[in-house]
Amino acid sequence: MMLILLINLIIENEVYTNEKPILSLLIDNSKSIDFLKESKNVSDLLSEFNSNTKINNKFSQNQFQFGKGLDVLDSLTFQDNKTDIYNAISEVQKLNADKIAPIILVTDGNQTIGSDYEFLNSKQPIYPIVVGDTTQYSDVKITKLNVNKYSFLNNQFPVEVLMNYEGKEKVTTEFRITSEGKTIFRENISFSAQKNTVTISTKINSNSLGVNFYEASIQKIENEKNTKNNSKMFSVEVIDEQIKVLILTSILHPDLGVLKKAIESNKQRSATISLINDFKNQINDFQLIILYQVNNKFEQILNEINTKKIPFLFISGAKTDWNFVNNQQLGFKKIAINQTENYGVINNEAFMMFQQNNIGFDDFPPLKDFFGELIIDKEFQVLLFQNINGIQTSNPLLATFNNDNHKFATLFGEGIWKWRSASFLNNNSFEDFDAFIVNLVAYLASTKKRDRLEVSAESLFPSNSIINISAFYSDSNNKFDPRASLEIAIKNTTTNETIKFPFSLVNNAYHATFENLNSGKYEYQVAVLGENIFKNGRFVVTDYQIEEQFSRANFEKLMKLALNSGGKVFFVNQSNNLIDELLENESFYTVQKSIKKQQSLLDLKWILYFIIAFLSIEWFIRKYIGKI
């Protein structure tokens, strides 16, 4: 017996298991289900699948709910503000790869974000259950509204509105744009089955400084069921400033033309490109200097910039003379080696120096610069971090500085022309990228003295959206002060109800987040507690909800999805037919799998008990009978 312990013999067993096919049930938890008054039907359908013994005997059920994302089914609320059908199906397919796993998709087929699911390539059969009325009612709606975020005083800003019509009869209605209850533009428009799209382009005068709110709307047509999609609000901030930019460079590069085009996309901006060897003018003629690929020929210009505290944007690259730059006392240095590196982009959501949305920075191509250690000895704020081979670093790719009333920014890398191209590919427009450059230029060139408290907030929020307001507070030496306590008071101008929220400290900025505000106009005041320092502002929460823009289920797309995947489409009242289809389909079968397991004899309890009993008997024999 002791020999067994010493040898530790291994035996091999073959274990058989039965693996049922997996039935994935995906439930649309978005607001459109509730808006179409189908919440009860969906809940009843779920209960029917849960209680069906035959289905549970044949399948292993996995149940999920989806809206913007995919989650394991917990409790259906039908309160998700967005719907991504493509993502929900794709994620479930990844979970059940190489398994027999049909998918049941319970939805109205109306997707608001994500890739188009209509032609999704699915290895698993998909059975859509159509929720909602499929009858096509006459409906007019505003599909898209394009407008610039900023305009200039006594100028005009363009507004483009795309409208669609669903119906068979010819109809005529009125489109109008209003502000503060006054109509500032109107036009009669006609639709028909053949002419179901109308685009209106107009220009509106910007006569009032600050944020101005507008509403674009289409008058209701006869027998129209859904009027939620007949109007959209938008806002434009009117500012008053003209900026001339000088782009000084040591080389010719595609970045130069892209910077000029982006800057001059705003009519209040102009840009002049000059080689450093050819520049003879006075830099006093410009409000901002862009220094591109600095070398020792920039010495006189840098001395003048530092002396006069002229705002500048420093852009480095493969032709930058870092040995020269490091001796200029600009506030930053780079211990560079004679080797270049590609620096990817990571957006910093906590950036506070000016309002800048993430325009897809994280997916932009990398920029090229010399590899080395960055040393920064002045206070700075990071808009974009460096990403090296997929790893985010703490080093800035794009940073802003504001020291001793001297504002400047640094972009450590060349190749920004690729960003503009990537932005166009993503949005079919240069608008987002150009607005980013215009925002940066406007911030750097602004002569407005920095306030101790600065607040950043959007002026327009859709209903039920999460509202984020950020604040930056500095001490009397213009250095960020993390010790302060900030609070925001928000007042509904209709009801006069006021609520207060504290700010949280996140990455050298203060943030307040809140939601579930009713539609309406709001005024707010951000205050530093214990100090007589505050900032006022206003915003509007619209009653626009994207999930309420659909008047019927999208049967056509769901039908194509089912056909392309080898499934079938059913209506919510045909659940019995679907259950019969699943039970009778012989391609959904249980798979028997064998697994070979190696097991030590010592792991078998009966052998262990036998050894213990044998040794115990031997002990008693020796004890009472004597040595044998």
Side-chain angles (χ1 to χ4, degrees), residues 1-2 4-5 8-9 599-617:
M1 290 298 175
M2 296 303 295
I4 294 177
L5 293 174
N8 190 19
L9 293 176
Q599 187 175 27
S600 170
L601 285 177
L602 294 178
D603 293 334
L604 301 177
K605 292 182 179 180
W606 68 269
I607 289 182
L608 181 60
Y609 295 150
F610 179 78
I611 293 173
I612 294 173
F614 180 82
L615 293 175
S616 299
I617 293 171

Side-chain angles (χ1 to χ4, degrees), residues 433-448:
F433 175 85
D434 291 349
F436 154 61
I437 296 297
V438 168
N439 285 348
L440 179 60
V441 167
Y443 164 74
L444 293 174
S446 174
T447 57
K448 181 181 176 182

Side-chain angles (χ1 to χ4, degrees), residues 522-567:
Y522 291 85
E523 296 175 348
Y524 66 84
Q525 182 178 88
V526 177
V528 182
L529 300 182
E531 301 277 353
N532 188 27
I533 299 175
F534 54 87
K535 275 290 180 71
N536 297 319
R538 60 178 183 148
F539 62 83
V540 170
V541 178
T542 71
D543 60 0
Y544 175 84
Q545 294 188 26
I546 192 169
E547 289 292 333
E548 294 183 354
Q549 305 308 301
F550 309 101
S551 57
R552 67 185 187 97
N554 198 328
F555 173 78
E556 294 79 13
K557 276 198 172 187
L558 293 174
M559 172 67 81
K560 290 180 181 178
L561 176 66
L563 292 175
N564 291 334
S565 65

Side-chain angles (χ1 to χ4, degrees), residues 356-376:
Q356 177 58 53
N357 295 328
N358 186 351
I359 61 173
F361 291 115
D362 297 358
D363 297 323
F364 281 178
L367 303 183
K368 180 188 290 186
D369 197 6
F370 282 110
F371 182 80
E373 179 187 2
L374 275 174
I375 301 174
I376 301 178

Side-chain angles (χ1 to χ4, degrees), residues 31 321 415:
K31 283 190 173 182
D321 186 348

